[in-house]
Amino acid sequence: MLQTALLIVDVQNDFCPGGALAVNEGDQVIPPLNRVAEAIAQRGGLVLASRDWHPRETKHFAAFGGKWPVHCVQNTQGAAFHPGLKLPDGAIVISKGSGSEDDGYSAFEGRADDGKTLHEILQAHGVQRLLVGGLATDYCVRASVQDALKHGYEVTVLTDAIRGVNLQPDDSECALEEMQAAGARLMHSADALREL
Ligand code: VGL
Ligand code: ZN
């Protein structure tokens, strides 16, 4: 059996309805992610949650030359995980986008509180396969999945546990096709649960 971990990408208040960069139906990823997180934890698997964790001034924000409204500023309520998200005991938080020069879309650019990168943590736990869900399909989910594949992980994207920004209406659809073409499997969370 391949060691399987769950990577929950950026399920933070600012990406959910009412947030500063709200993704349509962003909070709907929470129920399936909670179910998969519990199942993985029950089997002794690892759950990781990335968070967008920006300084107040960053080239990521429109005011400093970037493309986004201010969102997920470190230690603000908008950057907190959505209160509905149930992270199991032992879940590891990966903070990313903390620099003032980079977008930090991929969770593989982030670090845990102890300074370890996501790849280092996964290697230390013998993880070979990642289930991925969260926000947003067309940015941080896509970038994280692409990096995971580049690092040699087997990746399954949980199709009912992702939602996209869709600056262009078909951005999420294109992102899914790209991820699949790069080698990711696309699967409903109920089917992924049956496979565990
Ligand atoms: C994200 C836009 C800006 C994401 C982060 O988490 O997908 N999108 N910052
Ligand atoms: Zn961001």
Side-chain angles (χ1 to χ4, degrees), residues 60-79:
H60 186 61
F61 294 158
F64 306 97
K67 106 179 193 185
W68 303 108
V70 174
H71 64 277
C72 296
V73 171
Q74 294 164 12
N75 301 305
T76 62
Q77 197 50 38

Side-chain angles (χ1 to χ4, degrees), residues 10 15 21 52 54 60-61 68 71-72 96 103 105 140:
D10 299 7
F15 294 125
L21 181 41
D52 217 27
H54 297 306
H60 186 61
F61 294 158
W68 303 108
H71 64 277
C72 296
K96 62 178 184 59
D103 289 307
Y105 290 132
C140 291

